[in-house]
Amino acid sequence: MKRKVAIMCLCGMTVLAGCQKESVADVIQKDEENPRMVYEELTKDLSDITPKEVLTGTDSSGDEKPIDIGNVQVTPVRKGQTCNYGGYDITILNAKKIDKTLMQLNDITGSNQFRDFLFKQYHYSPYTGNTYDGPSETEELYPDRGVQFYCIQLKIKNVAAIESDICLSPSFFNRDGEKEFTMIRTGAESIGYDKYSNLDLPDIPHKDGLFYSFKKGEELITNVVVMLPAASGVVRNLYMSTDFLYLGNGQAVNGIPNGSYLMEVGVVDEQYNKYR
C-alpha cells in the first residue's frame, strides 16, 4: 500500500514576492488565454497524468520511482539527471551557497554585471528609492533580513513545438525521508538569473526580471539566485520543483502539481544534520 504524507510549510517570515511581472491569477489567466502557453500533453485532467520515466544521467541505477505526496504523485530526480516536464527538458548542473555580498557571482558569471544588477534592483524598490550607484565588495543584500542565498545553475531546453514563456521562480522542498518532503513555502524567492535580457539596463526597475521567452528548440544555461530563510534547519536536504515550467498547473496556488518532479539540488545543511 502506498503511503501518503502531508506537505508541511515553514512559516514565520514576511511573504516575499516571486515573479512580479504579473500576479499569479494574471499568469494563470494568461496561460488559459494564450495558445503559446498551452501544451497538448497537459490539457487533460491532472488526476490522469502518470509521471514519465524519462530520467537520464551517468548513474541510471539511481533513478527513483514516482511516489505519492498528499493527493498528488511526483518523481524525485537525482542531481545531474534530466527530466521532461511542461514541454521542457531540465537539468540542475550545479548549486552552491553564496554569502550575502554575492561576490561569488563575479567568479561564477565572469563579470560584476549580474551582481550589480541585483543590488540596483533591490535599491530601486519602493522602500529604498532610486539614488543608488552600485554595491561595494562588502555590502550585503537584504542586510536587515534573516536570509541566505543559493546560486543554482540550470540547463533548460524547450522541446515543445511552440514558443513559450516561463518564470524562473521554482518552489523548494526538503527531503526528510524516503517519501516525505517539506515545502519551504514562506520566505523562498528567486531574485534573478544571469541571462535576463535587460541586465545592461540596471538603472530602472524591472518587474519581468524572472521571465524568459523560449524559441522552439532553444536551450538555456543560466545561473538563478535564490533567497531562502536563514534559520538553522530551514535548508536540510534541498529539492527544487519543476512546477515553474508550467504555471497553469497550479504553481504557487495549489501547491505541487501532479505528475511533476522534485529535483535534487545537492545542498545540505551539514551542521543541522550533524547535531539534530
Side-chain angles (χ1 to χ4, degrees), residues 65-185:
K65 302 300 182 183
I67 59 176
D68 287 331
I69 298 181
N71 295 319
V72 302
Q73 195 175 62
V74 298
T75 303
V77 178
R78 298 292 187 184
K79 184 179 179 182
Q81 293 183 321
T82 299
C83 64
N84 176 272
Y85 183 73
Y88 300 91
D89 286 342
I90 180 170
T91 314
I92 294 179
L93 299 178
N94 199 6
K96 65 182 300 183
K97 184 177 180 179
I98 58 178
D99 65 39
K100 294 184 70 172
T101 69
L102 308 190
M103 280 297 296
Q104 293 100 317
L105 291 180
N106 294 354
D107 293 329
I108 293 171
T109 64
S111 77
N112 63 354
Q113 184 184 43
F114 184 37
R115 176 179 183 263
D116 289 357
F117 178 85
L118 295 178
F119 273 85
K120 285 196 173 184
Q121 290 305 294
Y122 164 70
H123 282 276
Y124 282 132
S125 73
Y127 305 103
T128 55
N130 58 354
T131 58
Y132 187 69
D133 293 326
S136 68
E137 292 187 359
T138 58
E139 183 177 358
E140 295 184 346
L141 193 62
Y142 295 97
D144 55 342
R145 292 182 179 176
V147 296
Q148 56 187 325
F149 296 95
Y150 295 86
C151 181
I152 303 174
Q153 186 180 57
L154 300 176
K155 180 170 70 174
I156 306 172
K157 183 175 182 179
N158 177 16
V159 295
I162 56 176
E163 296 181 349
S164 54
D165 303 327
I166 64 171
C167 176
L168 288 155
S169 184
S171 301
F172 289 92
F173 295 75
N174 284 300
R175 186 166 192 169
D176 294 316
E178 181 182 355
K179 296 184 178 182
E180 185 175 355
F181 291 82
T182 303
M183 187 177 188
I184 308 174
R185 184 181 296 276

Side-chain angles (χ1 to χ4, degrees), residues 20 117 121 196 198-199 201-210:
Q20 300 178 7
F117 178 85
Q121 290 305 294
Y196 176 54
N198 289 316
L199 288 184
L201 298 173
D203 297 320
I204 58 175
H206 295 278
K207 291 185 177 182
D208 63 347
L210 291 173

